Amino acid sequence: MNNIYWLVQEIMESLVTLGICVVLPITTVYMTMRKKRHEVDKRNEIAMAVIEKNGNIDVQDIIKSLTPPQKPLKERIIMKMHYELIAASILTIFSTATFIALVVVGCMGITKEDIYAMGLVFGIPSLAVGVSLFIGYNSSKKILNQLDD
């Protein structure tokens, strides 16, 4: 009886892991692509309906009026810089808090290696990604300054 319970528990853990790591990303990509395809199909339907009602209208003007306007390059760079700065700050603060927690745990005399290993597994990559995002922010800032010139 204990073996069956253990087997069911292992299968459920595997299914949850597969669901989060495989099914969720695939579903997200599928839904995004389906939404984009639906938008294109709707634009085409509207263009076809306008052409059927009035055949002497320029198709290019209709398509241009139906496509959403794109943001200018400067605005896109500013938004990217904003998101990079937020993510970099969050990750750097998280990694700093993790390292402070490790120091506090060490000062308290707790000698469980699992705590230190988990702290380092989460702290080091967070710090690396945070610093790299700060570098990306500075690069975007230089590009934006070159665009202003």
Side-chain angles (χ1 to χ4, degrees), residues 30-84:
Y30 171 74
M31 295 297 283
T32 304
M33 297 301 291
R34 192 173 106 180
K35 179 183 176 236
K36 287 182 182 179
R37 190 173 354 126
H38 178 70
E39 289 174 354
V40 169
D41 290 344
K42 279 301 207 186
R43 272 187 259 144
N44 288 341
E45 284 179 22
I46 293 170
M48 293 301 287
V50 169
I51 291 171
E52 287 176 3
K53 290 187 180 199
N54 191 357
N56 57 2
I57 293 179
D58 189 20
V59 178
Q60 294 297 326
D61 291 336
I62 295 170
I63 293 174
K64 283 182 183 178
S65 66
L66 292 177
T67 55
Q70 284 196 349
K71 295 179 182 178
L73 178 63
K74 187 174 181 179
E75 188 175 336
R76 287 184 291 186
I77 290 174
I78 290 172
M79 288 301 296
K80 179 184 169 195
M81 287 173 56
H82 179 71
Y83 291 132
E84 280 179 345

